[in-house]
Amino acid sequence: MRKFVWIQLILGLLTAAVLGQALSPEEIAGKVANLLSRMTLTEKIGQMNQYSNKWDMTGPKPEDDAKAYRYNDIKNGNVGSMLNVVGAAATRAAQQLAVDSSRLHIPLIFGIDVIHGYKTSFPVPLAMAATWNPELVEKAAAVAAGEAAAAGIHWTFAPMADISPDARWGRIMEGAGEDPYLASQMVAAQVRGYQGNDLSSENTIAACAKHYAAYGAARAGRDYNSVELSLYSIYNIYLPPFKAAVDAGAVTFMNAFNTLNGIPATGNRFLVKDVLKGKWGFEGFVVSDWSSIAELINHGVAANLKQAAEIAATGMTDMDMESFAYRRHLENLVQEGKVDEALIDESVGRILTIKYQLGLFDDPYKYCSEEREKTQLLTDENRAISRKIAAESMVLLKNSDNLLPLSKDIKSVAVVGPLSNDKDSPLGNWRCQAGADNAVSLLEGIQAIVSPETRINFVKGLDIDNNNVRSFDGKIDVKSVIKAARRSEVIIAAVGETAMMSGEARSRMDVGLPGRQLELLQELNRLGKPMVVVLFGGRPLTIPWLAENVPAILMSWEAGSESGNAIADILFGDVVPSGKLPVTFPYHVGQEPLVYNELNTGRPQLNDQQGFVSKYIDGPKEPLYPFGYGLSYTDFEYENLRLNRPVIRIGEPLRVGVTLKNTGKYSAREVVQLYIRDLVASIARPVKELKAFEKVELKAGESRDVTFILDNKVFGFYNDNYEFIVEPGEFEIMVGGNSVDVMKITCKIVE
Ligand code: NOJ
């Protein structure tokens, strides 16, 4: 027995020596305190300064003045972090500058936007949310982290935890859509995936929840615009995904660009001091967004960069991304007594703690391995995961007469439309190091899956690019497209947005099909041939004509490196679609912002004939496709919605059961969604709120009981004092395959 213990101990020590044992929090705290005590004020402020890469790190030292300034700052210990240094060799070179030349040899932390993959591209985050499969999303984030870490990166600026109620906002593609519960699940999954169990592992990187907070509620869907929100919405809708990030262990946060009720989110004491670092007890650090400290001047709350630095530092932004505000002014502000040095110590302590957690003090170069970078990026295994998640993210919006799936032995198929052979658009915005040369177009995906005898008649017919979102005078070659279509049994038309039509600063005032694409589809439709429209895009698109006239529509989003293969998997039946919309698809852009979980009005519309009710006089108020919607090749029936008891006491859980039956011909997956409605409360409550979901796989003919155990908190909400309360009363429980087609049952909560 004793011998066994000794062997265990020796093995343990050997493993720790080989793998590099993670330090305990106490050990890290001791080391941080010791290091801080040896740092000058200038060196401390240096840690709070982040620069972007502006020159070739592996080349000669820069001669240009501005670049040389940054270069010297790294050498002198005046930089704590860099972003956009790409590749193992470049990060090694930059790290060497900091570690070899600075007095205290403190390593840099390298960050970059790994938003949906590093080199292997995964679907954009909005599409990943459409999988309603947090496990798979976690896996994708873990793969992305592994690739980024192999290329020298320690830190990603993801996940984006912003709720996005407005399809016009270009950055809707970066988040999980409109619902706080679904978004919280997705955010937590990404944090777990990026960070793993041990930040010091060479396969994990630090996550960053952004943009704190409420950035997605930009007025009129215009990026960087101001945000005006009720406390109800802030607490119950916009903050929960950020809280989920903290609970999942995210070690950094990023400020947002917007003002929130008049106060910029950067340097916002309420958001950062009171809520994030106060109430939530967040122990990591907060980085500003790019130049968002300097932008306090444009917001009109700071007269100059020095005042901006003061507001940001006292508002507890720990690191300045590219504003030069801390670098230039923080030291003077401390000397003048305007910023307490204790605040600086706190910020620097938080930053150094993460550097220790990442293991950078043990080996500053452990992530910069050119060997790993060569072998671990864009592997077949990573591509296979990307293909799987891509197929699972796609949402079948329409499938009249079961046109889909198509047979692989089809004799002829027309592949048309501007995006049909496009390898760039599916990579979406924020593609990091992914390249079109490694992506699969829809045409290639179809070529690879159909029988060698199938004739593919390919004609694009129309070009669209990132710059002609509105242009209706692009050259359109209807004749050739019609000719190709005439010669084919089925038409597959690829239309939608190119990659740079969504993302940062890509707000649109019209979210329809850009350019002349609709015209092309209308011409094709006149042929009366079966037509499948494959939609590309990073946001909900308004497609009422398509919904009415085209038999089959698949939303493929921007699905990453394996997009074409994944679309083909769905079109030809290798994968049965199971994606569900994480955002409402509007009928018309004038309905935006449009969400399913709105508050009831005093005059809800109950039927078409009513006059003075909440509606439009020139169109429906209902969306084209509701939140949670998505078809399958099979049919599911919901039966026997039941509760373990109809009345529960405050604090008690409730068990909800439903029987799900696969009545169709395919083995398939269904996302069973549970919504609640608080019928009478002290404040107006949403008409529906998603509270639970489960993705269930059933064989043809199989049925299964699905059970949800609802914690009593599910029935509560935050009041205006940010207190969480559960009120007694009646609640509707709704279960179904989307937010509209649901079964209902009521329960009562008593004191
Ligand atoms: C600005 C964006 O708002 C933010 O999301 C991103 O992480 C930074 N730039 C760094 O690229």
Side-chain angles (χ1 to χ4, degrees):
M1 186 67 190
R2 253 211 212 128
K3 204 169 149 199
F4 177 73
V5 173
W6 272 108
I7 292 172
Q8 290 255 310
L9 193 69
I10 291 168
L11 274 179
L13 286 173
L14 279 176
T15 325
V18 174
L19 297 179
Q21 186 77 277
L23 295 167
S24 73
E26 295 72 30
E27 284 170 317
I28 290 180
K31 283 178 184 284
V32 167
N34 178 294
L35 184 51
L36 258 177
S37 72
R38 290 185 285 131
M39 292 171 81
T40 63
L41 178 60
T42 320
E43 283 166 337
K44 289 179 193 169
I45 291 167
Q47 288 302 304
M48 299 169 70
N49 183 29
Q50 186 190 50
Y51 287 152
S52 183
N53 181 21
K54 297 273 178 191
W55 68 95
D56 176 11
M57 287 286 171
T58 55
K61 92 181 198 203
E63 277 170 16
D64 160 298
D65 278 356
K67 290 176 188 161
Y69 179 87
R70 291 165 189 247
Y71 179 89
N72 289 329
D73 265 2
I74 302 175
K75 286 181 73 171
N76 296 332
N78 288 324
V79 183
S81 168
M82 292 204 67
L83 73 153
N84 300 335
V85 182
V86 174
T91 48
R92 175 177 292 276
Q95 193 67 296
Q96 217 151 7
L97 275 184
V99 173
D100 289 359
S101 309
S102 65
R103 187 179 75 93
L104 291 168
H105 318 290
I106 302 176
L108 297 167
I109 175 171
F110 296 109
I112 202 167
D113 292 283
V114 182
I115 307 295
H116 52 109
Y118 182 79
K119 184 107 182 157
T120 306
S121 175
F122 293 95
V124 295
L126 185 64
M128 284 203 270
T131 63
W132 294 57
N133 188 341
E135 231 174 85
L136 205 50
V137 171
E138 181 177 335
K139 180 86 197 146
V143 169
E147 288 196 0
I153 295 299
H154 313 132
W155 180 24
T156 175
F157 304 123
M160 186 179 98
D162 296 308
I163 293 296
S164 318
D166 198 325
R168 293 170 296 180
W169 190 49
R171 303 197 80 167
I172 194 170
M173 52 79 57
E174 286 177 59
E178 73 194 40
D179 180 71
Y181 179 77
L182 180 62
S184 298
Q185 304 295 314
M186 293 299 155
V187 163
Q190 288 173 75
V191 172
R192 290 194 301 269
Y194 289 129
Q195 297 193 168
N197 296 324
D198 176 7
L199 263 192
S200 74
S201 146
E202 60 178 16
N203 293 317
T204 58
I205 56 177
C208 179
K210 70 186 189 186
H211 308 83
Y212 189 63
Y215 183 35
R219 275 197 162 184
R222 210 177 71 230
D223 206 4
Y224 315 119
N225 207 2
S226 55
V227 172
E228 305 279 326
L229 280 180
S230 70
L231 288 175
Y232 177 87
S233 294
I234 295 174
Y235 297 150
N236 292 286
I237 308 284
Y238 288 86
L239 291 188
F242 288 101
K243 176 66 165 51
V246 174
D247 292 344
V251 291
T252 74
F253 261 55
M254 186 187 288
N255 295 137
F257 284 126
N258 53 286
T259 53
L260 177 57
N261 298 335
I263 301 173
T266 299
N268 188 312
R269 289 189 200 197
F270 159 73
L271 284 175
V272 180
K273 185 164 181 268
D274 299 349
V275 177
L276 178 63
K277 293 183 178 173
K279 249 184 195 323
W280 296 351
F282 172 69
E283 288 176 350
F285 71 83
V286 177
V287 63
S288 77
D289 201 345
W290 185 289
S291 83
S292 70
I293 299 181
E295 286 168 26
L296 296 177
I297 303 170
N298 288 344
H299 282 302
V301 301
N304 48 46
L305 195 62
K306 187 171 177 187
Q307 198 188 355
E310 182 184 343
I311 294 171
T314 52
M316 292 190 142
T317 294
D318 303 301
M319 188 180 275
D320 171 359
M321 182 193 286
E322 277 287 329
S323 281
F324 289 78
Y326 287 179
R327 172 77 183 98
R328 295 203 174 125
H329 299 291
L330 210 43
E331 198 162 341
N332 284 339
L333 286 164
V334 173
Q335 278 151 0
E336 289 163 17
K338 290 191 173 136
V339 173
D340 193 343
E341 189 165 350
L343 262 184
I344 307 291
D345 286 351
E346 189 188 322
S347 290
V348 179
R350 286 169 180 265
I351 294 164
L352 294 176
T353 299
I354 308 299
K355 291 187 176 183
Y356 274 107
Q357 287 177 358
L358 284 162
L360 294 178
F361 284 94
D362 284 342
D363 177 4
Y365 305 107
K366 70 190 245 192
Y367 291 71
C368 326
S369 154
E370 287 176 73
E371 192 41 46
R372 290 182 63 218
E373 187 181 34
K374 258 187 240 143
T375 54
Q376 298 188 10
L377 273 50
L378 206 69
T379 59
D380 289 349
E381 199 187 338
N382 293 355
R383 294 194 76 121
I385 297 167
S386 176
R387 181 169 179 167
K388 182 170 161 52
I389 192 167
E392 212 167 299
S393 75
M394 293 177 189
V395 183
L396 184 62
L397 297 175
K398 192 175 175 195
N399 193 20
S400 296
D401 303 326
N402 296 326
L403 173 57
L404 293 174
L406 303 171
S407 160
K408 291 179 191 169
D409 295 322
I410 191 164
K411 287 211 180 66
S412 54
V413 56
V415 179
V416 301
L419 300 176
S420 46
N421 70 340
D422 188 340
K423 292 153 85 84
D424 186 84
S425 296
L427 296 179
N429 209 326
W430 294 112
R431 78 241 335 243
C432 207
Q433 298 308 303
D437 44 343
N438 295 311
V440 180
S441 71
L442 173 58
L443 178 63
E444 289 168 330
I446 294 173
Q447 282 163 341
I449 210 166
V450 293
S451 129
E453 267 76 66
T454 303
R455 208 177 53 241
I456 299 176
N457 298 312
F458 161 65
V459 184
K460 269 169 81 174
L462 175 64
D463 279 324
I464 55 164
D465 62 49
N466 298 319
N467 301 320
N468 70 2
V469 192
R470 294 178 70 186
S471 160
F472 285 87
D473 49 11
K475 245 180 80 197
I476 185 166
D477 181 4
V478 175
K479 235 171 148 190
S480 311
V481 174
I482 296 288
K483 201 166 143 200
R486 279 222 167 95
R487 295 217 237 103
S488 312
E489 275 177 53
V490 172
I491 306 164
I492 298 176
V495 295
E497 292 185 321
T498 58
M500 296 303 148
M501 289 182 188
S502 65
E504 186 179 351
R506 313 277 160 167
S507 293
R508 292 180 59 199
M509 59 170 77
D510 177 0
V511 294
L513 291 177
R516 300 180 70 180
Q517 298 182 91
L518 186 57
E519 195 183 322
L520 184 74
L521 295 176
Q522 287 170 335
E523 292 287 353
L524 280 166
N525 203 48
R526 283 203 190 104
L527 295 177
K529 291 225 167 193
M531 174 152 74
V532 180
V533 169
V534 178
L535 278 178
F536 291 76
R539 54 156 60 82
L541 297 166
T542 44
I543 47 161
W545 183 87
L546 263 64
E548 178 125 18
N549 296 288
V550 166
I553 308 171
L554 179 73
M555 183 66 189
S556 77
W557 311 102
E558 290 159 339
S561 309
E562 287 288 323
S563 168
N565 284 333
I567 299 171
D569 286 341
I570 299 264
L571 297 184
F572 293 89
D574 281 357
V575 175
V576 176
S578 66
K580 301 272 185 175
L581 296 178
V583 280
T584 302
F585 269 45
Y587 174 87
H588 189 279
V589 69
Q591 298 172 311
E592 293 292 322
L594 182 64
V595 290
Y596 83 96
N597 55 354
E598 60 183 9
L599 300 185
N600 212 347
T601 82
R603 295 192 175 194
Q605 184 186 20
L606 302 174
N607 62 55
D608 289 349
Q609 277 71 52
Q610 286 175 298
F612 289 83
V613 290
S614 184
K615 64 171 190 177
Y616 297 104
I617 54 170
D618 55 353
K621 82 173 193 321
E622 282 73 30
L624 189 61
Y625 297 112
F627 176 81
Y629 174 85
L631 302 173
S632 171
Y633 293 155
T634 200
D635 295 305
F636 289 104
E637 266 174 28
Y638 287 76
E639 281 171 359
N640 191 17
L641 181 60
R642 54 199 180 267
L643 307 175
N644 61 334
R645 49 203 149 117
V647 182
I648 53 167
R649 291 194 178 282
I650 288 190
E652 283 178 352
L654 178 74
R655 190 189 294 255
V656 183
V658 73
T659 307
L660 180 70
K661 207 167 169 186
N662 180 346
T663 56
K665 293 199 198 99
Y666 295 82
S667 175
R669 269 177 285 183
E670 166 73 330
V671 181
V672 181
Q673 303 163 37
L674 184 147
Y675 299 85
I676 68 158
R677 178 169 182 183
D678 187 350
L679 289 174
V680 183
S682 54
I683 57 172
R685 304 272 289 118
V687 293
K688 244 166 232 173
E689 292 175 276
L690 179 73
K691 290 294 177 182
F693 63 84
E694 196 177 326
K695 200 157 188 176
V696 190
E697 179 149 16
L698 291 185
K699 298 203 179 69
E702 197 187 351
S703 53
R704 176 146 354 134
D705 289 339
V706 179
T707 307
F708 296 102
I709 299 177
L710 303 182
D711 186 286
N712 200 240
K713 285 204 191 98
V714 155
F715 300 97
F717 60 90
Y718 289 98
N719 65 16
D720 277 2
N721 297 321
Y722 202 17
E723 293 154 350
F724 190 79
I725 51 172
V726 179
E727 293 181 339
E730 249 190 308
F731 291 80
E732 238 166 35
I733 314 279
M734 294 160 269
V735 176
N738 64 62
S739 62
V740 170
D741 305 310
V742 288
M743 300 181 75
K744 287 184 191 173
I745 193 165
T746 45
C747 83
K748 204 167 181 178
I749 298 187
V750 295
E751 288 194 271

